[in-house]
Amino acid sequence: MKKSKYSEEQIIGMLREAAGDTTVKAVCARHNVSEPTFYKWRAKYGGMEVSEARRLRSLEEENGRLKRLVADQAVQLQILKEVSAKKW
């Protein structure tokens, strides 16, 4: 997945800016972001504080690490089953 050039803090700042009296179109033009990207960010980060966004990122990283660990163990288990199934 491509990494965003904006940090969570910057994204939340843009969302707060648009929540004020500025229009979404003006905020997107000012920060050179497309409107679909802005709405995707709003769906993900809407109503969040910066600390919550950092916590979300750390949980997503941990979740990815655990998924890789489970996949590696499943492969090792499959290999052991295949080896033990052979008749020597």
Side-chain angles (χ1 to χ4, degrees), residues 6-13 45 50 53-54 57 60:
Y6 297 103
S7 67
E8 286 90 3
E9 295 86 3
Q10 292 171 322
I11 293 170
I12 291 172
Y45 298 107
V50 174
R54 287 181 184 150
R57 181 182 52 196
E60 287 173 344

Side-chain angles (χ1 to χ4, degrees), residues 15 32 57 61 75 78:
L15 294 175
N32 197 22
R57 181 182 52 196
E61 289 172 357
V75 168
Q78 184 64 30

